[in-house]
Amino acid sequence: VSPVVLLAAAKPLAREAVEAVAAACDELSFILKKLEGYKSPEELHKALPGSTGCIIRSDKADADFFDHAPDLKVIVRAGAGYDNVDLEAATKRGVCVMNTPGQNANAVAELVFGLLLYHARRRFNGCSGFELKGKTIGLFGCGRIAANVADIARGFQMTCYGYSRSGRCQHGTCSMLSSSDELFQRCDIVSLHMPSNAQSRGCVDREKLSCLKKGGILINTARQEVIDEDALLEVLAARPDLTYITDIKPSNVDKIRTALGEARFAQQVVTTPVKMGAQTLEANVNAAVAAVQQIAGYLFHGDNTYQVNVP
Ligand code: 3PG
């Protein structure tokens, strides 16, 4: 019997990516079941029985999810961050969890510069802005996304520093600093590229935020949870020279707006309406097709490269 693969994405993929997933499933004789743009966990839970493989994005896969998936053997998060998956619950039920590292990294890196240029050129309002050439950018977290950011930064003739907890830079593309505080002190722009996990949650705290240089810019295309949002509010209010740029609206955005007032908020905070770092056709195709291939590799050959839970 052909294995059923469920593509469950509350935030739909590009149409071409879904077509590419369908073609890849066809080739592998998988039966593809699609659940896109669903509105409730119940809808998702109803679709799970019978599925051997599952592809998700930031969709929540908690213990309840796995309880509704008695036939599931492998779930792939089409993307990098797997903080939406309860790894322990998956392990308990013998389900392999994988991500697709690097497949959407360039999309996120390009958005960093899209947002940065939008701010640097005063939201295209015609007033004089500033150039990126000659500025220093600090990458907090030095995985594949940071490597893409560093590549683009070099094109702008920026100087690139990095800090990661392991002290390693996955691609050797920037000068590594030995402390994250130093990164905040030395760089004109700090861009966050760490995963959200027990070690990183709230790690951008009051102390680090206060270390930002005069006129400093903090960019967050990683996760809301890595910033202490109360401290962010306080530091933005105390320092009109700072800017916070993100595609993940802070959960206290209304409080920040009230504390700063409309005019300062417009100058100091840049947010997009939705999280959109990985929202490109290329990233959607790369991540989703890689997910199908990883499911096949696991089911047919036991290949667990990119498994992120304890087997
Ligand atoms: C990731 O972790 O890969 C990115 O944050 C993309 O997430 P998304 O699939 O929800 O857009």
Side-chain angles (χ1 to χ4, degrees):
V1 209
S2 299
V4 174
V5 171
L6 173 68
L7 170 63
K11 181 165 63 179
L13 295 162
R15 187 175 42 82
E16 293 87 338
V18 179
E19 285 166 8
V21 166
C25 282
D26 236 23
E27 212 161 286
L28 292 156
S29 300
F30 284 155
I31 296 165
L32 176 65
K33 201 166 145 187
K34 291 182 282 190
L35 180 69
E36 293 186 277
Y38 66 89
K39 299 279 181 269
S40 70
E42 290 72 35
E43 248 182 285
L44 173 60
H45 294 165
K46 252 199 234 153
L48 288 168
S51 305
T52 311
C54 183
I55 302 169
I56 55 168
R57 299 187 69 176
S58 327
D59 308 76
K60 207 180 180 112
D62 53 11
D64 211 12
F65 171 101
F66 290 107
D67 284 341
H68 285 84
D71 309 298
L72 196 63
K73 302 241 173 322
V74 53
I75 178 166
V76 183
R77 193 283 192 240
Y82 46 87
D83 46 310
N84 51 323
V85 183
D86 185 336
L87 300 185
E88 233 174 81
T91 297
K92 251 195 218 155
R93 291 155 183 82
V95 179
C96 170
V97 184
M98 297 180 187
N99 65 347
T100 63
Q103 299 292 352
N104 58 21
N106 186 60
V108 180
E110 287 190 12
L111 184 70
V112 166
F113 285 91
L115 293 170
L116 184 53
L117 284 170
Y118 177 67
H119 167 67
R121 292 309 185 93
R122 307 293 176 227
R123 301 169 189 233
F124 310 138
N125 72 359
C127 295
S128 290
F130 63 88
E131 299 183 16
L132 302 184
K133 183 177 175 179
K135 300 286 188 296
T136 49
I137 184 164
L139 307 176
F140 192 169
C142 291
R144 292 169 171 85
I145 298 169
N148 280 273
V149 173
D151 281 346
I152 301 172
R154 263 195 305 280
F156 279 107
Q157 299 181 52
M158 301 172 86
T159 304
C160 211
Y161 292 101
Y163 169 80
S164 76
R165 281 196 323 120
S166 70
R168 280 194 312 272
C169 177
Q170 269 190 27
H171 301 269
T173 42
C174 44
S175 315
M176 295 301 283
L177 300 177
S178 56
S179 88
S180 53
D181 284 0
E182 202 186 340
L183 194 80
F184 279 72
Q185 282 155 6
R186 274 177 87 142
C187 297
D188 302 307
I189 299 148
V190 174
S191 192
L192 306 178
H193 299 294
M194 72 287 269
S196 170
N197 54 34
Q199 288 79 42
S200 68
R201 250 162 252 145
C203 71
V204 180
D205 54 15
R206 186 171 286 101
E207 203 182 317
K208 277 191 196 43
L209 290 165
S210 310
C211 282
L212 280 163
K213 276 172 79 165
K214 189 165 170 39
I217 296 169
L218 178 65
I219 306 177
N220 183 8
T221 52
R223 287 291 184 274
Q224 193 183 66
E225 295 81 4
V226 300
I227 295 198
D228 174 343
E229 293 189 328
D230 291 338
L232 177 70
L233 186 156
E234 274 175 38
V235 174
L236 283 174
R239 296 208 21 207
D241 59 302
L242 298 183
T243 306
Y244 182 59
I245 297 178
T246 185
D247 74 326
I248 316 139
K249 235 183 225 157
S251 62
N252 59 351
V253 69
D254 292 335
K255 274 194 195 162
I256 297 179
R257 195 187 287 270
T258 309
L260 300 183
E262 277 308 324
R264 269 183 63 189
F265 182 86
Q267 270 167 22
Q268 283 185 263
V269 182
V270 176
T271 60
T272 58
V274 289
K275 176 168 168 264
M276 53 179 290
Q279 285 293 59
T280 65
L281 168 61
E282 293 86 345
N284 286 176
V285 171
N286 292 346
V289 172
V292 177
Q293 283 158 355
Q294 288 174 216
I295 289 174
Y298 183 74
L299 293 180
F300 301 148
H301 310 292
D303 179 354
N304 67 345
T305 312
Y306 304 128
Q307 179 162 6
V308 294
N309 64 328
V310 178

